[in-house]
Amino acid sequence: MLAYGRARFLTRKTIQFRNAHITRNYKEDPRWPGWELVVGIEVHAQIKSKRKLFSETLTSDLTTVSNTHVSPFDAAFPGTLPRLNPKCVELGVRTAIALNAEVQNRSAFDRKHYFYADLPSGYQITQQYAPIARNGQLQLEKDGIAVRIKQVQLEQDTGKSAFLPRNRMTAIDLNRAGTGLMEIVSEPDMRSPEEAASYVRMLQALLRTVGSSDGNMEQGSLRCDVNVSVNRPGGPPGTRCEIKNLNSVKNMTVAITCEAFRQIALLDSGLSVSQETRGFDEEKAETYALRSKEDAPDYRYMPDPNIPPLLIHKDYIDAIRARMPELPHATRARLLEQGLSERDVEVLMDVDSGREVGYDGELGRGAVAYFDEVSRGRDPKAVVNWITHELLGQLAFRHETFKENPISVEQMGNLVDLVQSLKVTGTSGKTILRHILSTRTTDLPTKIAEDLQLVTASDDGASLERWCRDAIAALPAEADAVRRGNVNVVNKIMGHVMKASRGTAKAQDARAALLRLLRP
């Protein structure tokens, strides 16, 4: 059950503190010997809902005409009131469960005041003090650490501003204003740029898996604010600086590295590090000061008087938990249990992490779901070889992504069956796969093999022997070399046989037949 509370506390006691760093064995980084790097990340992920967080207005994408998805509430017209989108709440709860966080039975919304042209109300509605979830964690299996999640909070996104140099003016687009965001705040548990990169990639995959966000950093639907500090091993925490709005994992790792070097240089020269908010210049690969770092009093947080507390019943949480999809760590374990190699699992999971995410929790089909359907009743190792080695390789050659894959589950399953039953050779199977990708045909591989005359000959080897004799006659010099004992030359004659058979001859059988005919 989801409900608004009737009462609202108008005052709230605020305790300012910084969580102690987690205890980890110090491992010296050769990039900054004698120093320990400490990183915490605030991830802002757009909620993949059809409508905004507090209005009925449709959300927008990069193709939407500017200022066409704006309601009076989004534009902060006087007298307009917010109405909470329950789908955003559901997706926030999904995310919290996936992060092993404690979903709060009571959460509340605050106003965070600051003044930018793309924030028409002069404040952002957020959940600074009573978030929807607290105390989660995200396991980074490759790095062997668990990053604690301080809180998950729902909040509004701002509009966009773009400077037009020709007109010497700034254009404002309010299409994004009011779009639902999840701010996922980690504790300062990461100790290197690489751990930070692993955390963001793992979080992206998790959000896509549960369908709460598409996590597309290039399009701005996932942005990172990174808090960086350095200190001597075992010493007190250093002064942190926040690097704002990093929109790619690569930029984030470079920005963290540059900021670490900057702070160390200051401390080594006897200067102090000022607590401030900084930006990142991609071209110069350096951070630059934006403003002194604001604390809570600077934002003049206050409870939003127009939004009552959000009350979430345990039954509502349990119902969402029961419908949760399989999470990445469970998927990885299941695939390994099926006998897949670590490499094949990594490839499937990496491709799956880029899956399409539907609106309002609609789960997209990725590479893992495709593998599961094709491998049902078949050898999973054979299936994964065809998907990861052949299908993905051909898609990459054509500069296509997995979502553009035209080969249906039925077609791929039929192709694997043909090769496994020896009705077509592996070479012919690859020809059939390329044919489907090129023509986008919906025919089954069985019919394609017949149409292209790729079915393995079943004439007790008469065709194979004919092809071998023809190849020997066509390449007399190579045949004589094999007769004199140079067995390696037989591979060239085999190529002639495979070409004559159009790939229907098995390479092993062709080699054996040629050696039988050429050896005395």
Side-chain angles (χ1 to χ4, degrees), residues 2 47 49-50 84-92 316 360-361:
L2 196 61
I47 300 173
S49 177
K50 290 181 181 178
L84 182 61
N85 179 355
K87 282 294 182 181
C88 291
V89 177
E90 179 184 337
L91 296 178
Y316 177 81
D360 293 328

Side-chain angles (χ1 to χ4, degrees), residues 62-80:
L62 296 179
T63 64
T64 308
V65 178
S66 299
N67 294 312
T68 55
H69 288 189
V70 186
S71 71
F73 176 79
D74 302 327
F77 277 41
T80 57

